[in-house]
Amino acid sequence: MQIINCKISYIIGESQVYSTELKNNDYKIDIDLKDDILCSKIQTSKEFKDFKIEFYLPIDKKFTQMITNGYQTWLPSYKINCNSKQNKLSAFLQKNMYKGSGIDCIAEYQSNFSKNTSFGICYFKEDNTNNTLMFVSLDEKDTFTKYDYDFDRNVLKITRDFKGYAVNKNMQLIKVLRIEEDFVNSINVLKENLNLNDKTQKTTRLIAYNTFSDYKNNITAQIVNEKIHNLQNDYNMFIIGDGYAQNSGNILDIDEKKFPNGLKSIVENIHSKKILAALWITPFAISPLSKSFSDQQNLAVKQNDKPVVTCPFWGGAYSLDISFDDSTQYLKDMFDVIFNEYQFDAVYCDCIYMAASIPVEGKTQAMLINHAISTIRKLTENKLLILGGVPFLSAVGNCDWIAISSDSSNYWYDIGDMLSANFPTSAKSSVNSLVYKKYLNKIYPCVYTVPNNKKIKNKLLQLISNASPNLIISDKQLKPTTFPSKFSLNNNE
């Protein structure tokens, strides 16, 4: 591995410093390039704010395509080449029109979306061969790793931005692995370095039904029970999606008109089908429309003493400030109801990104999200856990499945896909994005939500199921005589 340049910026006192020096009066930076690993550490006795370091690496011109990974699993992945250009209208809207809506908080904070940017992992492809060049971060604890590629100069910029954090000690800045192999060997090397063992990962396919696929949030106890009764036998999990709570995904705020007896009897009905019962929740979302909002608003992340909208749904939701002890108790009460009162077997925790939409307590986004995930994993104990809307590498090893798609609109195409390229919602955009996310399932078990759309025919379903064998799918898209027998599946892939 070779580095051709290194740029550093930080704030010390009242001064903003820009430098290319690896040693000055404020710090000393060591860089180690052994065994195809870029490892760098900083030594300092001072304190910096918003420390950022950029490494510039040359890439062989034979690699003509780059496959990106979105900041979190809702966001799309792209295949980038020298002709790929950022949509100027999308960039303008993202920067100016979405501010304060919550859409501007679904990605890296205070950073404009770029389809040429990849997070945690990226790889390059050589034309007409199986040869790949892959980069993967082996350390996402303190901050996330970001990749930007300049096709004109054939230079990869790797950024580690400690925004929101004060560097005041000797610490590791980056640890990135470079792998140049054919694709299969690259994945094997990557998994070995991530300490992932196929034998310890789940081998049972997850074929789940989610009420949101057919009914969105328009569910009642009667609708759900009828669906359970009429459900095909191909499923091994039933997920109760959004719509059970009053204007929010808060289990402590059940809509008593729609679910007068709560959810326990519904879980019993699911269990009578000999399948697992799961509940979809957004543990870090606080809706202003919730009837318990007056009690929860003190737990919301604030700026200038006012809650900040970090999600465009549920009336413009706020984020739970996980730095509060009361927030941990709030989550504990939530999972206690889910598992002990209602007896669910699994939980689908979505919108994990919300735990770090706004910097708090002098921590980076990575620190906040990793703390949020570890809290959830501790509270769910030995129950099954699906994580969605989450940075991929942060979820690896900390859940049973990673949801690598959003619950997109059933419309095949939505004008919003063009106007907000960082948050595509239509069925077409969701399926297209999966093409460039399919390698993620080879790293760790992923689950993909198949949009309920007539244009997703059997042939396309087969392609999807091969890319991500764990599915959340409507039974309208399943035919008992053809599923899964007509799917060409290989669980050992």
Side-chain angles (χ1 to χ4, degrees), residues 87-89 94 202 272 295 301-302 308 355 412-413 473:
N87 185 300
K88 293 183 179 180
L89 177 59
Q94 175 66 14
K202 294 193 174 297
S272 71
D295 298 326
V301 173
K302 299 179 180 63
V308 182
W412 183 246
Y413 180 75
I473 186 169

Side-chain angles (χ1 to χ4, degrees), residues 118-133:
S118 187
F119 289 86
I121 183 173
C122 71
Y123 74 93
F124 295 85
K125 297 176 66 176
E126 181 180 354
D127 287 344
N128 304 318
T129 75
N130 291 323
N131 194 27
T132 62
L133 176 62

Side-chain angles (χ1 to χ4, degrees), residues 155 317 436:
V155 172
Y436 306 119

Side-chain angles (χ1 to χ4, degrees), residues 6-17:
C6 186
K7 295 182 180 180
I8 299 154
S9 66
Y10 56 94
I11 298 172
I12 184 166
E14 300 297 322
S15 301
Q16 175 77 58
V17 178

Side-chain angles (χ1 to χ4, degrees), residues 32-50:
D32 188 346
L33 299 174
K34 294 179 182 177
D35 301 323
D36 274 329
I37 292 179
L38 164 59
C39 184
S40 179
K41 298 180 180 179
I42 186 171
Q43 300 178 39
T44 182
S45 58
K46 298 186 179 181
E47 181 172 287
F48 318 126
K49 295 180 181 178
D50 295 350

Side-chain angles (χ1 to χ4, degrees), residues 300-320:
V301 173
K302 299 179 180 63
Q303 285 186 335
N304 300 322
D305 295 324
K306 293 184 179 180
V308 182
V309 175
T310 55
C311 180
F313 312 122
W314 312 295
Y318 309 120
S319 289
L320 182 73

Side-chain angles (χ1 to χ4, degrees), residues 350-385:
D350 207 355
C351 305
I352 300 300
Y353 77 90
M354 292 187 68
S357 296
I358 303 294
V360 296
E361 289 294 304
K363 295 181 179 180
T364 65
Q365 276 187 299
M367 292 173 183
L368 292 168
I369 282 182
N370 291 328
H371 173 60
I373 292 173
S374 64
T375 300
I376 289 176
R377 182 71 278 187
K378 181 178 179 180
L379 293 174
T380 56
E381 296 181 313
N382 60 344
K383 301 294 183 179
L384 295 172
L385 175 62

Side-chain angles (χ1 to χ4, degrees), residues 58-119:
I59 302 296
D60 195 311
K61 292 181 180 180
K62 68 182 181 181
F63 295 105
T64 58
Q65 300 173 351
M66 175 186 177
I67 308 300
T68 70
N69 179 49
Y71 162 72
Q72 47 107 334
T73 55
W74 275 10
L75 304 185
S77 294
Y78 293 102
K79 180 173 69 174
I80 307 298
N81 56 42
C82 60
N83 297 318
S84 302
K85 302 294 182 182
Q86 175 76 1
N87 185 300
K88 293 183 179 180
L89 177 59
S90 295
F92 174 82
L93 291 174
Q94 175 66 14
K95 183 177 180 180
N96 297 283
M97 295 184 64
Y98 296 149
K99 189 174 183 180
S101 68
I103 293 180
D104 53 334
C105 289
I106 66 174
E108 184 188 27
Y109 53 58
Q110 299 181 358
S111 177
N112 294 330
F113 170 79
S114 171
K115 66 185 296 184
N116 290 42
T117 298
S118 187
F119 289 86

